[in-house]
Amino acid sequence: MNVRVLRGSPTPEEIAAVTAVLTAAVVEEAARADAVPSDGPSAWQRSQRILRSPLQAGAGRWRNFSA
């Protein structure tokens, strides 16, 4: 990670503090990205349960169709 100071003249301690905060944020974000999603269905999958099953083509398949 490269840190570039654009204005002012920070002390080495201030640069170290900023570097520590940014490093912690990167580590936290990486841990969150690597987290395993829950085993349950996603919100998208749950919302699709109410939809009907796919229509099957073939002889006699539409005989009992009702709207």
Side-chain angles (χ1 to χ4, degrees):
M1 176 186 331
N2 293 328
V3 176
R4 190 171 82 176
V5 177
L6 299 178
R7 292 188 181 170
S9 52
T11 65
E13 291 82 12
E14 291 171 331
I15 294 174
V18 169
T19 303
V21 169
L22 293 177
T23 301
V26 168
V27 168
E28 182 180 331
E29 185 64 27
R32 193 176 311 140
D34 292 340
V36 177
S38 67
D39 293 335
S42 68
W44 174 258
Q45 291 168 329
R46 286 192 306 270
S47 71
Q48 298 307 303
R49 289 184 183 180
I50 60 174
L51 298 178
R52 63 172 169 75
S53 60
L55 297 175
Q56 302 294 324
R61 297 286 183 163
W62 291 82
R63 188 172 303 150
N64 294 326
F65 175 76
S66 61

